[in-house]
Amino acid sequence: MHRTADVLEFELDAILKSSNDNIVIADENGIILRASPNCLSIYGKDVSYLVGKSVYQLEKENVFCPSVTARVLREKKEVQLMQQTATGRVVMATGVPVFDHQNRLVRIISFSHDLTELERLKEDYEKLRKQMEHYQMEIEELKPEHIVIQSKAMERIWKLVHRVAQSDATVLFLGESGVGKNVFARSLHLHSPRRNEPFIEVNCSAIPESLFESEMFGYEKGSFTGAQKTGKPGLIELADKGTLFLDEIGELPLSMQAKLLKVLQEKKVIRVGGIKERTVNFRLIASTNQNLAEMVKQGKFRQDLFYRLHVIPIYVPSLRERKEDIFMLAQYFLKKFNQKYQMDKYFHPSIVDHLVQYDWPGNVRELENMIERLVITSETRAIYPEYLPFSIQKYPEVITPHQSLEKRNEPSTLKEAIEQVERQWLLRAAKQCKTTYEMADYLGISQPTVVRKLKKYGVDSKTN
Ligand SMILES: Nc1ncnc2c1ncn2[C@@H]1O[C@H](COP(=O)(O)OP(=O)(O)OP(=O)(O)O)[C@@H](O)[C@H]1O
């Protein structure tokens, strides 16, 4: 038969040995009586070092800091705190006071849970989360639904891009600067069978002529001063199996045009300073805002290269040729920049006409940049026409001479004029809002007033 005291001793030993947490038992003076064996890995000291020592001394030695036992002795109640240990670990320590029948503090038991791993995991998780956010943003940018398509013209292009994406034919995007040629080129790649392979974009106007060959074709080691020791593959080689997108191809110097044509015909590259031919397999997309046919006539662009590129020309119209897209794009950019800058700006209805009537010589890029500026600089939540650049502000007042009074449906009385404006605002709100409550918010009037006015003007909030 074992004595109860012996059994208790065995039980305590078993608990100390088997616990994942480190357990330390100290007396009423803070002298350590027992410690579990895992103290070596947490504190860097074994049981024999700790037992008999005061927690105050160990705190001074920075074996652990701060001491939870010392705090319990002071406060006479359970305490939880974070400790740093001599081995550089972060520990969550819980100190529990033990009182006798006379309510005297006789022991302090502390449980220390090593959080180092958890902290590291938290850091890793945080890093991964940031990376994920970054990639998510990149994916979002590339997603086809991030191309705003409202007008019939854009819808036609979108369908055509989808259709030609399935083939390997060379596509040439034409159109003014900023109309969205790059956006369509990327989307074409993303919808093509090569979508999981590289999309290599080369801005032909950004590479100096002297570097063009080495950038495009790569170079062998030591082929020129400043070249990397190991040599480097060119952009064409990097596009192998994927898509090579030559942006602003009209800027390509004539001497380079001949070299490029050779690669397009033979699908082989030789790195600068090398002799080995490397076969490349890429799909070619090009874009230009120049009139290549005219350049051919002027002898500035090679005719043979022009025909090579001109297999499927796709013309992306300027923004002024598809005004239906303007407001939709504006709303899209407003949402994008509200998110980016954590704002909650909205367009005051009176701004719409200004945006639609302006000619946008810089096309979608100009619109995008302007909205980013407005989101950052407008003083109020609502973005009013006054915040627009002067060139855009003046637009609604401009009445072209051929616009007759009847054409503009001029109201003959003030009441009629007010009603006409009211109806226009309602139609606009109905188009953009899903509920009459949203419309009320948008128009700055009450919801019952919205309902009343919808009825008065025969505007259907759901169908508009
Ligand atoms: N339909 C669209 N939907 C959403 N964003 C668009 C759309 N069209 C263009 N953009 C945006 O407008 C900006 C200009 O577009 P992009 O660079 O594709 O024009 P581009 O015609 O290739 O211009 P450049 O000839 O100067 O290279 C980009 O930030 C792009 O994301």
Side-chain angles (χ1 to χ4, degrees), residues 365-399:
R365 183 175 294 115
E366 184 185 2
L367 177 67
E368 180 175 10
N369 292 344
M370 190 202 68
I371 290 179
E372 179 166 18
R373 213 167 46 238
L374 286 176
V375 167
I376 300 169
T377 57
S378 64
E379 288 160 10
T380 50
R381 245 191 86 214
I383 301 176
Y384 293 102
E386 299 89 278
Y387 299 149
L388 292 169
F390 186 68
S391 53
I392 305 179
Q393 269 189 47
K394 68 182 185 336
Y395 262 82
E397 277 85 59
V398 177
I399 296 164

PDB file of all heavy atoms in Angstrom, residues 365-399:
ATOM      1  N   ARG A 365      -7.159  56.826 -70.225  1.00  0.00           N
ATOM      2  CA  ARG A 365      -6.066  57.140 -69.278  1.00  0.00           C
ATOM      3  C   ARG A 365      -6.300  58.505 -68.646  1.00  0.00           C
ATOM      4  O   ARG A 365      -6.138  58.684 -67.445  1.00  0.00           O
ATOM      5  CB  ARG A 365      -4.719  57.092 -69.998  1.00  0.00           C
ATOM      6  CG  ARG A 365      -3.554  57.335 -69.034  1.00  0.00           C
ATOM      7  CD  ARG A 365      -2.186  57.185 -69.659  1.00  0.00           C
ATOM      8  NE  ARG A 365      -1.908  55.829 -70.082  1.00  0.00           N
ATOM      9  CZ  ARG A 365      -1.740  55.467 -71.340  1.00  0.00           C
ATOM     10  NH1 ARG A 365      -1.831  56.374 -72.304  1.00  0.00           N
ATOM     11  NH2 ARG A 365      -1.484  54.223 -71.647  1.00  0.00           N
ATOM     12  N   GLU A 366      -6.718  59.483 -69.461  1.00  0.00           N
ATOM     13  CA  GLU A 366      -6.960  60.841 -68.949  1.00  0.00           C
ATOM     14  C   GLU A 366      -8.101  60.814 -67.919  1.00  0.00           C
ATOM     15  O   GLU A 366      -8.013  61.414 -66.848  1.00  0.00           O
ATOM     16  CB  GLU A 366      -7.302  61.784 -70.113  1.00  0.00           C
ATOM     17  CG  GLU A 366      -7.462  63.225 -69.667  1.00  0.00           C
ATOM     18  CD  GLU A 366      -7.909  64.157 -70.785  1.00  0.00           C
ATOM     19  OE1 GLU A 366      -8.147  63.696 -71.922  1.00  0.00           O
ATOM     20  OE2 GLU A 366      -8.055  65.362 -70.496  1.00  0.00           O
ATOM     21  N   LEU A 367      -9.162  60.063 -68.265  1.00  0.00           N
ATOM     22  CA  LEU A 367     -10.311  59.959 -67.366  1.00  0.00           C
ATOM     23  C   LEU A 367      -9.879  59.323 -66.038  1.00  0.00           C
ATOM     24  O   LEU A 367     -10.199  59.805 -64.956  1.00  0.00           O
ATOM     25  CB  LEU A 367     -11.402  59.112 -68.038  1.00  0.00           C
ATOM     26  CG  LEU A 367     -12.656  58.833 -67.223  1.00  0.00           C
ATOM     27  CD1 LEU A 367     -13.439  60.105 -66.984  1.00  0.00           C
ATOM     28  CD2 LEU A 367     -13.558  57.822 -67.935  1.00  0.00           C
ATOM     29  N   GLU A 368      -9.125  58.240 -66.150  1.00  0.00           N
ATOM     30  CA  GLU A 368      -8.671  57.516 -64.950  1.00  0.00           C
ATOM     31  C   GLU A 368      -7.826  58.430 -64.051  1.00  0.00           C
ATOM     32  O   GLU A 368      -8.060  58.525 -62.850  1.00  0.00           O
ATOM     33  CB  GLU A 368      -7.861  56.290 -65.386  1.00  0.00           C
ATOM     34  CG  GLU A 368      -7.353  55.479 -64.226  1.00  0.00           C
ATOM     35  CD  GLU A 368      -6.640  54.194 -64.656  1.00  0.00           C
ATOM     36  OE1 GLU A 368      -6.368  54.020 -65.868  1.00  0.00           O
ATOM     37  OE2 GLU A 368      -6.371  53.367 -63.780  1.00  0.00           O
ATOM     38  N   ASN A 369      -6.862  59.113 -64.677  1.00  0.00           N
ATOM     39  CA  ASN A 369      -5.985  59.988 -63.890  1.00  0.00           C
ATOM     40  C   ASN A 369      -6.771  61.110 -63.231  1.00  0.00           C
ATOM     41  O   ASN A 369      -6.532  61.473 -62.089  1.00  0.00           O
ATOM     42  CB  ASN A 369      -4.884  60.596 -64.772  1.00  0.00           C
ATOM     43  CG  ASN A 369      -3.911  59.535 -65.233  1.00  0.00           C
ATOM     44  OD1 ASN A 369      -3.867  58.436 -64.682  1.00  0.00           O
ATOM     45  ND2 ASN A 369      -3.138  59.819 -66.264  1.00  0.00           N
ATOM     46  N   MET A 370      -7.746  61.653 -63.982  1.00  0.00           N
ATOM     47  CA  MET A 370      -8.500  62.767 -63.431  1.00  0.00           C
ATOM     48  C   MET A 370      -9.328  62.311 -62.222  1.00  0.00           C
ATOM     49  O   MET A 370      -9.411  62.995 -61.208  1.00  0.00           O
ATOM     50  CB  MET A 370      -9.409  63.368 -64.488  1.00  0.00           C
ATOM     51  CG  MET A 370     -10.007  64.671 -64.014  1.00  0.00           C
ATOM     52  SD  MET A 370     -11.492  65.057 -64.887  1.00  0.00           S
ATOM     53  CE  MET A 370     -12.577  63.809 -64.303  1.00  0.00           C
ATOM     54  N   ILE A 371      -9.901  61.102 -62.339  1.00  0.00           N
ATOM     55  CA  ILE A 371     -10.738  60.633 -61.226  1.00  0.00           C
ATOM     56  C   ILE A 371      -9.890  60.316 -59.998  1.00  0.00           C
ATOM     57  O   ILE A 371     -10.283  60.612 -58.876  1.00  0.00           O
ATOM     58  CB  ILE A 371     -11.622  59.463 -61.694  1.00  0.00           C
ATOM     59  CG1 ILE A 371     -12.631  60.088 -62.634  1.00  0.00           C
ATOM     60  CG2 ILE A 371     -12.292  58.757 -60.520  1.00  0.00           C
ATOM     61  CD1 ILE A 371     -13.587  59.253 -63.263  1.00  0.00           C
ATOM     62  N   GLU A 372      -8.721  59.800 -60.228  1.00  0.00           N
ATOM     63  CA  GLU A 372      -7.821  59.552 -59.081  1.00  0.00           C
ATOM     64  C   GLU A 372      -7.547  60.886 -58.370  1.00  0.00           C
ATOM     65  O   GLU A 372      -7.617  60.995 -57.160  1.00  0.00           O
ATOM     66  CB  GLU A 372      -6.516  58.906 -59.553  1.00  0.00           C
ATOM     67  CG  GLU A 372      -5.563  58.654 -58.404  1.00  0.00           C
ATOM     68  CD  GLU A 372      -4.415  57.722 -58.757  1.00  0.00           C
ATOM     69  OE1 GLU A 372      -4.146  57.539 -59.957  1.00  0.00           O
ATOM     70  OE2 GLU A 372      -3.797  57.182 -57.823  1.00  0.00           O
ATOM     71  N   ARG A 373      -7.285  61.917 -59.199  1.00  0.00           N
ATOM     72  CA  ARG A 373      -6.995  63.244 -58.634  1.00  0.00           C
ATOM     73  C   ARG A 373      -8.203  63.777 -57.855  1.00  0.00           C
ATOM     74  O   ARG A 373      -8.082  64.277 -56.752  1.00  0.00           O
ATOM     75  CB  ARG A 373      -6.640  64.181 -59.782  1.00  0.00           C
ATOM     76  CG  ARG A 373      -5.636  65.222 -59.424  1.00  0.00           C
ATOM     77  CD  ARG A 373      -5.055  65.929 -60.612  1.00  0.00           C
ATOM     78  NE  ARG A 373      -6.011  66.353 -61.606  1.00  0.00           N
ATOM     79  CZ  ARG A 373      -5.980  65.978 -62.892  1.00  0.00           C
ATOM     80  NH1 ARG A 373      -5.036  65.166 -63.307  1.00  0.00           N
ATOM     81  NH2 ARG A 373      -6.881  66.406 -63.746  1.00  0.00           N
ATOM     82  N   LEU A 374      -9.400  63.603 -58.454  1.00  0.00           N
ATOM     83  CA  LEU A 374     -10.611  64.114 -57.808  1.00  0.00           C
ATOM     84  C   LEU A 374     -10.867  63.421 -56.475  1.00  0.00           C
ATOM     85  O   LEU A 374     -11.254  64.061 -55.499  1.00  0.00           O
ATOM     86  CB  LEU A 374     -11.833  63.888 -58.719  1.00  0.00           C
ATOM     87  CG  LEU A 374     -11.955  64.787 -59.940  1.00  0.00           C
ATOM     88  CD1 LEU A 374     -13.149  64.380 -60.777  1.00  0.00           C
ATOM     89  CD2 LEU A 374     -12.097  66.252 -59.514  1.00  0.00           C
ATOM     90  N   VAL A 375     -10.656  62.104 -56.452  1.00  0.00           N
ATOM     91  CA  VAL A 375     -10.896  61.346 -55.212  1.00  0.00           C
ATOM     92  C   VAL A 375      -9.979  61.864 -54.117  1.00  0.00           C
ATOM     93  O   VAL A 375     -10.384  62.039 -52.972  1.00  0.00           O
ATOM     94  CB  VAL A 375     -10.694  59.823 -55.451  1.00  0.00           C
ATOM     95  CG1 VAL A 375     -10.620  59.062 -54.142  1.00  0.00           C
ATOM     96  CG2 VAL A 375     -11.815  59.266 -56.322  1.00  0.00           C
ATOM     97  N   ILE A 376      -8.743  62.177 -54.497  1.00  0.00           N
ATOM     98  CA  ILE A 376      -7.786  62.629 -53.477  1.00  0.00           C
ATOM     99  C   ILE A 376      -8.037  64.080 -53.077  1.00  0.00           C
ATOM    100  O   ILE A 376      -7.980  64.429 -51.908  1.00  0.00           O
ATOM    101  CB  ILE A 376      -6.326  62.488 -54.004  1.00  0.00           C
ATOM    102  CG1 ILE A 376      -6.029  61.035 -54.350  1.00  0.00           C
ATOM    103  CG2 ILE A 376      -5.318  62.999 -52.989  1.00  0.00           C
ATOM    104  CD1 ILE A 376      -4.727  60.840 -55.104  1.00  0.00           C
ATOM    105  N   THR A 377      -8.359  64.917 -54.066  1.00  0.00           N
ATOM    106  CA  THR A 377      -8.356  66.358 -53.762  1.00  0.00           C
ATOM    107  C   THR A 377      -9.714  66.967 -53.419  1.00  0.00           C
ATOM    108  O   THR A 377      -9.744  68.035 -52.808  1.00  0.00           O
ATOM    109  CB  THR A 377      -7.767  67.162 -54.938  1.00  0.00           C
ATOM    110  OG1 THR A 377      -8.553  66.857 -56.102  1.00  0.00           O
ATOM    111  CG2 THR A 377      -6.315  66.801 -55.204  1.00  0.00           C
ATOM    112  N   SER A 378     -10.826  66.326 -53.797  1.00  0.00           N
ATOM    113  CA  SER A 378     -12.111  66.998 -53.540  1.00  0.00           C
ATOM    114  C   SER A 378     -12.342  67.103 -52.032  1.00  0.00           C
ATOM    115  O   SER A 378     -12.092  66.162 -51.281  1.00  0.00           O
ATOM    116  CB  SER A 378     -13.264  66.262 -54.224  1.00  0.00           C
ATOM    117  OG  SER A 378     -13.384  64.994 -53.675  1.00  0.00           O
ATOM    118  N   GLU A 379     -12.837  68.296 -51.636  1.00  0.00           N
ATOM    119  CA  GLU A 379     -12.932  68.567 -50.196  1.00  0.00           C
ATOM    120  C   GLU A 379     -14.145  67.903 -49.567  1.00  0.00           C
ATOM    121  O   GLU A 379     -14.168  67.622 -48.373  1.00  0.00           O
ATOM    122  CB  GLU A 379     -13.035  70.079 -49.974  1.00  0.00           C
ATOM    123  CG  GLU A 379     -11.723  70.781 -50.249  1.00  0.00           C
ATOM    124  CD  GLU A 379     -11.913  72.249 -50.507  1.00  0.00           C
ATOM    125  OE1 GLU A 379     -13.026  72.771 -50.290  1.00  0.00           O
ATOM    126  OE2 GLU A 379     -10.935  72.884 -50.938  1.00  0.00           O
ATOM    127  N   THR A 380     -15.185  67.699 -50.373  1.00  0.00           N
ATOM    128  CA  THR A 380     -16.407  67.114 -49.824  1.00  0.00           C
ATOM    129  C   THR A 380     -16.568  65.688 -50.320  1.00  0.00           C
ATOM    130  O   THR A 380     -15.880  65.280 -51.249  1.00  0.00           O
ATOM    131  CB  THR A 380     -17.626  67.935 -50.298  1.00  0.00           C
ATOM    132  OG1 THR A 380     -17.514  68.073 -51.717  1.00  0.00           O
ATOM    133  CG2 THR A 380     -17.672  69.276 -49.634  1.00  0.00           C
ATOM    134  N   ARG A 381     -17.488  64.948 -49.675  1.00  0.00           N
ATOM    135  CA  ARG A 381     -17.741  63.561 -50.113  1.00  0.00           C
ATOM    136  C   ARG A 381     -18.267  63.560 -51.545  1.00  0.00           C
ATOM    137  O   ARG A 381     -17.888  62.747 -52.361  1.00  0.00           O
ATOM    138  CB  ARG A 381     -18.773  62.912 -49.194  1.00  0.00           C
ATOM    139  CG  ARG A 381     -18.209  61.762 -48.393  1.00  0.00           C
ATOM    140  CD  ARG A 381     -19.335  61.007 -47.736  1.00  0.00           C
ATOM    141  NE  ARG A 381     -19.871  60.010 -48.619  1.00  0.00           N
ATOM    142  CZ  ARG A 381     -21.143  59.635 -48.680  1.00  0.00           C
ATOM    143  NH1 ARG A 381     -22.033  60.201 -47.898  1.00  0.00           N
ATOM    144  NH2 ARG A 381     -21.546  58.713 -49.507  1.00  0.00           N
ATOM    145  N   ALA A 382     -19.133  64.520 -51.813  1.00  0.00           N
ATOM    146  CA  ALA A 382     -19.671  64.622 -53.168  1.00  0.00           C
ATOM    147  C   ALA A 382     -18.636  65.297 -54.054  1.00  0.00           C
ATOM    148  O   ALA A 382     -17.984  66.257 -53.632  1.00  0.00           O
ATOM    149  CB  ALA A 382     -20.949  65.438 -53.155  1.00  0.00           C
ATOM    150  N   ILE A 383     -18.482  64.787 -55.259  1.00  0.00           N
ATOM    151  CA  ILE A 383     -17.564  65.437 -56.199  1.00  0.00           C
ATOM    152  C   ILE A 383     -18.402  66.325 -57.122  1.00  0.00           C
ATOM    153  O   ILE A 383     -19.218  65.831 -57.895  1.00  0.00           O
ATOM    154  CB  ILE A 383     -16.765  64.379 -56.993  1.00  0.00           C
ATOM    155  CG1 ILE A 383     -15.971  63.488 -56.030  1.00  0.00           C
ATOM    156  CG2 ILE A 383     -15.838  65.048 -57.997  1.00  0.00           C
ATOM    157  CD1 ILE A 383     -15.222  62.346 -56.691  1.00  0.00           C
ATOM    158  N   TYR A 384     -18.222  67.631 -56.979  1.00  0.00           N
ATOM    159  CA  TYR A 384     -19.014  68.600 -57.744  1.00  0.00           C
ATOM    160  C   TYR A 384     -18.262  69.026 -59.005  1.00  0.00           C
ATOM    161  O   TYR A 384     -17.033  68.919 -59.063  1.00  0.00           O
ATOM    162  CB  TYR A 384     -19.270  69.843 -56.885  1.00  0.00           C
ATOM    163  CG  TYR A 384     -20.150  69.583 -55.702  1.00  0.00           C
ATOM    164  CD1 TYR A 384     -19.603  69.450 -54.429  1.00  0.00           C
ATOM    165  CD2 TYR A 384     -21.538  69.473 -55.850  1.00  0.00           C
ATOM    166  CE1 TYR A 384     -20.403  69.195 -53.322  1.00  0.00           C
ATOM    167  CE2 TYR A 384     -22.345  69.228 -54.747  1.00  0.00           C
ATOM    168  CZ  TYR A 384     -21.773  69.082 -53.496  1.00  0.00           C
ATOM    169  OH  TYR A 384     -22.564  68.829 -52.418  1.00  0.00           O
ATOM    170  N   PRO A 385     -18.996  69.573 -59.987  1.00  0.00           N
ATOM    171  CA  PRO A 385     -18.332  70.019 -61.217  1.00  0.00           C
ATOM    172  C   PRO A 385     -17.234  71.049 -60.964  1.00  0.00           C
ATOM    173  O   PRO A 385     -16.272  71.108 -61.709  1.00  0.00           O
ATOM    174  CB  PRO A 385     -19.470  70.634 -62.045  1.00  0.00           C
ATOM    175  CG  PRO A 385     -20.706  70.074 -61.485  1.00  0.00           C
ATOM    176  CD  PRO A 385     -20.448  69.709 -60.061  1.00  0.00           C
ATOM    177  N   GLU A 386     -17.379  71.822 -59.883  1.00  0.00           N
ATOM    178  CA  GLU A 386     -16.371  72.856 -59.614  1.00  0.00           C
ATOM    179  C   GLU A 386     -14.983  72.255 -59.414  1.00  0.00           C
ATOM    180  O   GLU A 386     -13.973  72.937 -59.561  1.00  0.00           O
ATOM    181  CB  GLU A 386     -16.690  73.660 -58.340  1.00  0.00           C
ATOM    182  CG  GLU A 386     -17.971  74.408 -58.351  1.00  0.00           C
ATOM    183  CD  GLU A 386     -19.112  73.562 -57.836  1.00  0.00           C
ATOM    184  OE1 GLU A 386     -19.643  72.776 -58.646  1.00  0.00           O
ATOM    185  OE2 GLU A 386     -19.463  73.667 -56.654  1.00  0.00           O
ATOM    186  N   TYR A 387     -14.934  70.993 -59.014  1.00  0.00           N
ATOM    187  CA  TYR A 387     -13.622  70.383 -58.759  1.00  0.00           C
ATOM    188  C   TYR A 387     -12.948  69.928 -60.050  1.00  0.00           C
ATOM    189  O   TYR A 387     -11.791  69.535 -60.050  1.00  0.00           O
ATOM    190  CB  TYR A 387     -13.761  69.163 -57.836  1.00  0.00           C
ATOM    191  CG  TYR A 387     -14.336  69.470 -56.472  1.00  0.00           C
ATOM    192  CD1 TYR A 387     -15.097  68.518 -55.804  1.00  0.00           C
ATOM    193  CD2 TYR A 387     -14.105  70.691 -55.853  1.00  0.00           C
ATOM    194  CE1 TYR A 387     -15.632  68.781 -54.546  1.00  0.00           C
ATOM    195  CE2 TYR A 387     -14.636  70.959 -54.606  1.00  0.00           C
ATOM    196  CZ  TYR A 387     -15.402  70.006 -53.957  1.00  0.00           C
ATOM    197  OH  TYR A 387     -15.916  70.261 -52.733  1.00  0.00           O
ATOM    198  N   LEU A 388     -13.715  69.936 -61.152  1.00  0.00           N
ATOM    199  CA  LEU A 388     -13.152  69.446 -62.425  1.00  0.00           C
ATOM    200  C   LEU A 388     -12.168  70.461 -62.979  1.00  0.00           C
ATOM    201  O   LEU A 388     -12.282  71.667 -62.702  1.00  0.00           O
ATOM    202  CB  LEU A 388     -14.275  69.260 -63.445  1.00  0.00           C
ATOM    203  CG  LEU A 388     -15.285  68.144 -63.162  1.00  0.00           C
ATOM    204  CD1 LEU A 388     -16.466  68.277 -64.119  1.00  0.00           C
ATOM    205  CD2 LEU A 388     -14.632  66.782 -63.311  1.00  0.00           C
ATOM    206  N   PRO A 389     -11.213  70.003 -63.799  1.00  0.00           N
ATOM    207  CA  PRO A 389     -10.338  70.975 -64.471  1.00  0.00           C
ATOM    208  C   PRO A 389     -11.199  71.916 -65.319  1.00  0.00           C
ATOM    209  O   PRO A 389     -12.249  71.496 -65.815  1.00  0.00           O
ATOM    210  CB  PRO A 389      -9.452  70.096 -65.356  1.00  0.00           C
ATOM    211  CG  PRO A 389      -9.617  68.716 -64.880  1.00  0.00           C
ATOM    212  CD  PRO A 389     -10.915  68.624 -64.175  1.00  0.00           C
ATOM    213  N   PHE A 390     -10.729  73.138 -65.479  1.00  0.00           N
ATOM    214  CA  PHE A 390     -11.540  74.146 -66.153  1.00  0.00           C
ATOM    215  C   PHE A 390     -11.974  73.701 -67.557  1.00  0.00           C
ATOM    216  O   PHE A 390     -13.103  73.908 -67.970  1.00  0.00           O
ATOM    217  CB  PHE A 390     -10.765  75.467 -66.214  1.00  0.00           C
ATOM    218  CG  PHE A 390     -11.602  76.586 -66.760  1.00  0.00           C
ATOM    219  CD1 PHE A 390     -12.683  77.067 -66.033  1.00  0.00           C
ATOM    220  CD2 PHE A 390     -11.335  77.106 -68.016  1.00  0.00           C
ATOM    221  CE1 PHE A 390     -13.483  78.074 -66.547  1.00  0.00           C
ATOM    222  CE2 PHE A 390     -12.123  78.119 -68.532  1.00  0.00           C
ATOM    223  CZ  PHE A 390     -13.200  78.600 -67.790  1.00  0.00           C
ATOM    224  N   SER A 391     -11.058  73.016 -68.261  1.00  0.00           N
ATOM    225  CA  SER A 391     -11.370  72.604 -69.634  1.00  0.00           C
ATOM    226  C   SER A 391     -12.586  71.684 -69.681  1.00  0.00           C
ATOM    227  O   SER A 391     -13.321  71.660 -70.671  1.00  0.00           O
ATOM    228  CB  SER A 391     -10.167  71.881 -70.227  1.00  0.00           C
ATOM    229  OG  SER A 391      -9.773  70.833 -69.361  1.00  0.00           O
ATOM    230  N   ILE A 392     -12.826  70.931 -68.637  1.00  0.00           N
ATOM    231  CA  ILE A 392     -13.969  70.014 -68.623  1.00  0.00           C
ATOM    232  C   ILE A 392     -15.208  70.722 -68.094  1.00  0.00           C
ATOM    233  O   ILE A 392     -16.315  70.521 -68.576  1.00  0.00           O
ATOM    234  CB  ILE A 392     -13.648  68.770 -67.769  1.00  0.00           C
ATOM    235  CG1 ILE A 392     -12.369  68.095 -68.277  1.00  0.00           C
ATOM    236  CG2 ILE A 392     -14.813  67.778 -67.783  1.00  0.00           C
ATOM    237  CD1 ILE A 392     -11.927  66.878 -67.521  1.00  0.00           C
ATOM    238  N   GLN A 393     -14.999  71.614 -67.107  1.00  0.00           N
ATOM    239  CA  GLN A 393     -16.128  72.331 -66.503  1.00  0.00           C
ATOM    240  C   GLN A 393     -16.960  73.073 -67.523  1.00  0.00           C
ATOM    241  O   GLN A 393     -18.169  73.146 -67.434  1.00  0.00           O
ATOM    242  CB  GLN A 393     -15.586  73.372 -65.531  1.00  0.00           C
ATOM    243  CG  GLN A 393     -15.434  72.869 -64.128  1.00  0.00           C
ATOM    244  CD  GLN A 393     -15.096  74.035 -63.213  1.00  0.00           C
ATOM    245  OE1 GLN A 393     -15.708  75.084 -63.251  1.00  0.00           O
ATOM    246  NE2 GLN A 393     -14.071  73.818 -62.397  1.00  0.00           N
ATOM    247  N   LYS A 394     -16.304  73.645 -68.551  1.00  0.00           N
ATOM    248  CA  LYS A 394     -17.030  74.540 -69.467  1.00  0.00           C
ATOM    249  C   LYS A 394     -17.945  73.773 -70.413  1.00  0.00           C
ATOM    250  O   LYS A 394     -18.780  74.343 -71.064  1.00  0.00           O
ATOM    251  CB  LYS A 394     -16.051  75.421 -70.249  1.00  0.00           C
ATOM    252  CG  LYS A 394     -15.200  74.652 -71.246  1.00  0.00           C
ATOM    253  CD  LYS A 394     -14.254  75.618 -71.919  1.00  0.00           C
ATOM    254  CE  LYS A 394     -13.460  75.027 -72.972  1.00  0.00           C
ATOM    255  NZ  LYS A 394     -12.884  74.319 -73.658  1.00  0.00           N
ATOM    256  N   TYR A 395     -17.803  72.455 -70.503  1.00  0.00           N
ATOM    257  CA  TYR A 395     -18.469  71.737 -71.576  1.00  0.00           C
ATOM    258  C   TYR A 395     -19.985  71.825 -71.691  1.00  0.00           C
ATOM    259  O   TYR A 395     -20.487  72.092 -72.764  1.00  0.00           O
ATOM    260  CB  TYR A 395     -17.994  70.277 -71.637  1.00  0.00           C
ATOM    261  CG  TYR A 395     -16.939  70.159 -72.700  1.00  0.00           C
ATOM    262  CD1 TYR A 395     -15.628  70.508 -72.421  1.00  0.00           C
ATOM    263  CD2 TYR A 395     -17.281  69.801 -73.992  1.00  0.00           C
ATOM    264  CE1 TYR A 395     -14.668  70.468 -73.404  1.00  0.00           C
ATOM    265  CE2 TYR A 395     -16.322  69.761 -74.979  1.00  0.00           C
ATOM    266  CZ  TYR A 395     -15.006  70.098 -74.679  1.00  0.00           C
ATOM    267  OH  TYR A 395     -14.075  70.066 -75.648  1.00  0.00           O
ATOM    268  N   PRO A 396     -20.762  71.607 -70.631  1.00  0.00           N
ATOM    269  CA  PRO A 396     -22.208  71.610 -70.824  1.00  0.00           C
ATOM    270  C   PRO A 396     -22.744  72.927 -71.335  1.00  0.00           C
ATOM    271  O   PRO A 396     -23.767  72.973 -72.002  1.00  0.00           O
ATOM    272  CB  PRO A 396     -22.761  71.308 -69.438  1.00  0.00           C
ATOM    273  CG  PRO A 396     -21.659  70.624 -68.761  1.00  0.00           C
ATOM    274  CD  PRO A 396     -20.411  71.244 -69.290  1.00  0.00           C
ATOM    275  N   GLU A 397     -22.017  74.032 -71.056  1.00  0.00           N
ATOM    276  CA  GLU A 397     -22.510  75.336 -71.522  1.00  0.00           C
ATOM    277  C   GLU A 397     -22.332  75.509 -73.024  1.00  0.00           C
ATOM    278  O   GLU A 397     -22.964  76.323 -73.653  1.00  0.00           O
ATOM    279  CB  GLU A 397     -21.777  76.463 -70.805  1.00  0.00           C
ATOM    280  CG  GLU A 397     -22.353  76.792 -69.444  1.00  0.00           C
ATOM    281  CD  GLU A 397     -21.759  75.880 -68.400  1.00  0.00           C
ATOM    282  OE1 GLU A 397     -20.530  75.886 -68.250  1.00  0.00           O
ATOM    283  OE2 GLU A 397     -22.525  75.128 -67.757  1.00  0.00           O
ATOM    284  N   VAL A 398     -21.482  74.701 -73.634  1.00  0.00           N
ATOM    285  CA  VAL A 398     -21.204  74.876 -75.055  1.00  0.00           C
ATOM    286  C   VAL A 398     -22.360  74.302 -75.863  1.00  0.00           C
ATOM    287  O   VAL A 398     -22.695  73.139 -75.751  1.00  0.00           O
ATOM    288  CB  VAL A 398     -19.897  74.153 -75.447  1.00  0.00           C
ATOM    289  CG1 VAL A 398     -19.642  74.283 -76.939  1.00  0.00           C
ATOM    290  CG2 VAL A 398     -18.740  74.731 -74.653  1.00  0.00           C
ATOM    291  N   ILE A 399     -22.994  75.161 -76.639  1.00  0.00           N
ATOM    292  CA  ILE A 399     -24.083  74.673 -77.485  1.00  0.00           C
ATOM    293  C   ILE A 399     -23.629  74.850 -78.927  1.00  0.00           C
ATOM    294  O   ILE A 399     -23.304  75.945 -79.365  1.00  0.00           O
ATOM    295  CB  ILE A 399     -25.386  75.465 -77.234  1.00  0.00           C
ATOM    296  CG1 ILE A 399     -25.844  75.222 -75.790  1.00  0.00           C
ATOM    297  CG2 ILE A 399     -26.458  75.071 -78.225  1.00  0.00           C
ATOM    298  CD1 ILE A 399     -26.856  76.203 -75.302  1.00  0.00           C
TER     299      ILE A 399
END
